Amino acid sequence: MNNNTLARILREGGIPPYLVSWVSSFLGERSCTLIFHGAPGTPTPLNVGSLQGSPISPLLFLLYLAPLHFRIPRGLMIPYVDDFALTVASLSYGGNIRRPQELFEKLETKASRLGGSFSVAKTELIHWRTPSQRHSPKCISPIQIKGELFRQSNSFWWLGYWFTPALNPAAHFSRRLALAQGAFALIRRLSPPGAGLPPYLWHRLATSVVAPILLYGAVLFTHGVGTTTRLDTFWRKVQWWTTNCLSPTPTGIPSVESCLPPVSLLITHRQRVAALRVVCSPPTVNPATARLHPSFPSLSEYRAPDLSWALTRGLSSVYLPLHWKSPRPVPRRRNHLPGDEVAHRSIPFTSGLSRMPMINSHLVHPTPTLQPRSLMNNTYSTLKKRIREKLLAEWASLFPPPGYYLHTPTVSPGPGHIRRRENPPHESRKKLSGRPPDWEVPLLKKLAAFLSVTSTRFRPTMFAPTTPPSSPPFLLSPPRVPLWDFRVFSLAEV
């Protein structure tokens, strides 16, 4: 980032002269000193780059790259800082290969004027396939950029998502599950037997560390039965660890005790919250909101000029936009845009509203259609409350605990839950509280009956000095504690 070039871009963009002078003064007269073996070198003047750690540096860098952003006919450019993704559509694979090459030459020309260039070695290529094109011939032709050939990748990583040509979510969540298992193995070391954090903080770690790693991308991708089963198996282990329950405990009890919903309900809840956030965001601020169908009842009439569904308009076997008033098809169809499907998850909770409230309305220019900010924020809070109540209702009906368990599901531990979780992980609840919880009484009675039968069965052989038992009772063998393997994955861009 050249300081003089940035000042020129700011002036051409209509930035007031005093702000341009302030930025030039902020970036100017800086020097760099390198230290080798503790000995500092000679200060070298710098006229490029920005101060690392300053909150204004990312904003200045985005303004510096603004000339690289331009509209693409029947295409879409989605840059993230210095990472550019180009999506094009045409009637043939040949057109899809030629157009990225032409667009790269245009980007390279614009970047050279800014004194920059692209790292060609990090280029990746993938051909998207619509559902009806699954049985059609695949394209194996590479693209050529600056003399280098790049063939289609089976999967590639961008912004934390792993994409495949068929948009199969299994490739993404297999990696997310491995990362969550590694993070969980590290967190478990914070609470070894005999020491560690209180269980209330275990819940905080599970919801703030493990769940975001495991469910990253769950808002957009639709899970299959196999993927959901694998995630649920791991999530139950997190619930057992949070509550210090034994693995034979009925699955409904650790879920309620830990205040951690089952993974299938947690995914659905996050999808609904994300849908509400999209439909209630200003279209001029949220790119996903700006690309919803024109029938979407927003307080703003703005829509992005490069709508996603315009990419495949006029082509056969396309993804179709989903009208806001059309019910979401059940079972799900794969010919609707994912963004429209995400937004439609909020319709059951917005009954009685003719227009969606707009959060962060202070970021847009005031118009006559905008309602008072406090009113819109209160409406948004009410909608979030409806989604939360729906989660609890589905939790109690689809995954009910046994009848002898008296507590109701909740997602936030209250005072009663905190008291039940004050016990350290190495001591039993009976030792600290004087008696076990009510839901454990039937289990302890069954266990006591089993112990009496077992002790009677092995009594003649256990105490006989000359005739040891042929097979020791399994209750005498120490329990095996499963250990998690911590794996480090190096994700390198190709």
Side-chain angles (χ1 to χ4, degrees):
M1 185 173 68
N2 186 275
N3 299 341
N4 297 329
T5 305
L6 176 60
R8 176 179 57 82
I9 294 175
L10 295 178
R11 285 193 295 267
E12 294 177 354
I15 303 299
Y18 73 92
L19 286 180
V20 178
S21 301
W22 183 91
V23 171
S24 300
S25 176
F26 173 75
L27 299 176
E29 299 181 1
R30 295 189 179 275
S31 60
C32 177
T33 303
L34 301 180
I35 299 178
F36 294 97
H37 301 289
T42 305
T44 303
L46 292 179
N47 192 35
V48 295
S50 180
L51 183 63
Q52 185 176 3
S54 174
I56 198 176
S57 296
L59 178 60
L60 295 178
F61 185 73
L62 293 178
L63 295 176
Y64 187 79
L65 297 182
L68 299 182
H69 303 164
F70 55 90
R71 292 182 56 184
I72 303 175
R74 187 164 286 182
L76 185 65
M77 177 190 298
I78 305 178
Y80 181 76
V81 192
D82 59 347
D83 193 352
F84 284 74
L86 301 177
T87 303
V88 296
S90 65
L91 296 174
S92 63
Y93 282 124
N96 286 345
I97 293 176
R98 289 190 301 269
R99 293 193 63 197
Q101 297 176 162
E102 298 172 355
L103 292 174
F104 177 80
E105 295 177 356
K106 187 176 180 179
L107 279 174
E108 186 75 5
T109 302
K110 290 180 174 290
S112 61
R113 299 173 184 172
L114 301 177
S117 60
F118 289 93
S119 178
V120 180
K122 296 182 179 180
T123 302
E124 292 181 322
L125 171 68
I126 192 168
H127 292 286
W128 305 118
R129 301 169 63 83
T130 57
S132 60
Q133 294 175 339
R134 287 174 295 179
H135 305 292
S136 61
K138 298 182 180 179
C139 178
I140 59 176
S141 301
I143 62 173
Q144 182 177 2
I145 297 179
K146 299 183 69 172
E148 299 186 28
L149 295 178
F150 298 93
R151 301 187 181 277
Q152 176 179 237
S153 304
N154 294 328
S155 63
F156 76 97
W157 178 74
W158 190 64
L159 299 184
Y161 289 83
W162 284 93
F163 294 96
T164 60
L167 293 177
N168 185 5
H172 172 78
F173 286 104
S174 296
R175 293 170 171 86
R176 302 311 307 182
L177 178 59
L179 293 176
Q181 290 174 346
F184 182 57
L186 289 177
I187 291 176
R188 291 185 63 177
R189 299 179 185 178
L190 299 176
S191 298
L197 301 175
Y200 176 75
L201 295 181
W202 300 355
H203 174 270
R204 299 280 298 273
L205 290 174
T207 55
S208 60
V209 178
V210 181
I213 296 177
L214 179 66
L215 302 180
Y216 183 82
V219 174
L220 183 61
F221 287 123
T222 301
H223 307 73
V225 177
T227 302
T228 305
T229 302
R230 294 171 57 193
L231 298 181
D232 187 65
T233 301
F234 167 74
W235 191 243
R236 283 200 298 267
K237 296 179 181 179
V238 177
Q239 295 172 349
W240 292 335
W241 169 77
T242 304
T243 58
N244 197 32
C245 291
L246 300 176
S247 57
T249 306
T251 56
I253 294 179
S255 177
V256 180
E257 278 284 298
S258 61
C259 300
L260 299 175
V263 69
S264 58
L265 296 183
L266 191 59
I267 291 174
T268 304
H269 175 71
R270 295 200 170 199
Q271 290 175 345
R272 292 167 178 169
V273 174
L276 183 64
R277 186 168 59 249
V278 169
V279 300
C280 294
S281 297
T284 55
V285 176
N286 193 327
T289 310
R291 289 172 173 83
L292 293 178
H293 195 273
S295 62
F296 164 64
S298 174
L299 294 175
S300 175
E301 301 297 333
Y302 173 80
R303 293 294 183 274
D306 54 348
L307 293 174
S308 301
W309 56 272
L311 292 174
T312 56
R313 180 188 296 173
L315 304 180
S316 59
S317 178
V318 300
Y319 283 92
L320 302 176
L322 184 59
H323 196 278
W324 180 258
K325 296 181 180 180
S326 300
R328 187 166 174 261
V330 178
R332 173 181 176 268
R333 298 178 184 176
R334 296 188 59 187
N335 61 344
H336 290 297
L337 293 175
D340 292 345
E341 291 189 355
V342 170
H344 269 63
R345 294 189 177 99
S346 63
I347 293 181
F349 307 96
T350 58
S351 58
L353 296 178
S354 58
R355 297 282 180 176
M356 295 295 105
M358 185 178 296
I359 58 176
N360 299 325
S361 57
H362 60 283
L363 300 177
V364 299
H365 295 287
T367 59
T369 58
L370 282 181
Q371 301 296 324
R373 183 179 175 184
S374 59
L375 176 61
M376 292 189 292
N377 290 340
N378 293 337
T379 305
Y380 181 74
S381 301
T382 303
L383 296 178
K384 291 179 61 178
K385 183 179 179 180
R386 292 180 182 178
I387 294 178
R388 186 171 181 173
E389 292 175 351
K390 183 66 174 179
L391 168 65
L392 299 178
E394 293 178 346
W395 191 355
S397 60
L398 299 179
F399 299 91
Y404 52 80
Y405 185 77
L406 304 179
H407 301 286
T408 57
T410 179
V411 293
S412 57
H417 293 85
I418 298 176
R419 285 197 295 269
R420 293 207 306 272
R421 290 169 174 77
E422 288 177 352
N423 303 344
H426 61 285
E427 299 188 46
S428 65
R429 297 177 181 174
K430 183 176 181 181
K431 179 178 179 181
L432 292 180
S433 61
R435 66 180 184 86
D438 297 337
W439 62 269
E440 289 184 352
V441 173
L443 295 179
L444 291 179
K445 289 182 179 179
K446 294 181 180 180
L447 181 60
F450 179 76
L451 288 175
S452 61
V453 173
T454 304
S455 61
T456 303
R457 181 180 304 169
F458 291 100
R459 191 180 303 277
T461 57
M462 287 177 59
F463 299 97
T466 58
T467 56
S470 58
S471 60
F474 73 93
L475 290 178
L476 300 180
S477 60
R480 299 182 60 185
V481 180
L483 300 178
W484 289 89
D485 295 332
F486 176 63
R487 303 176 183 179
V488 178
F489 294 87
S490 177
L491 305 179
E493 294 182 349
V494 180

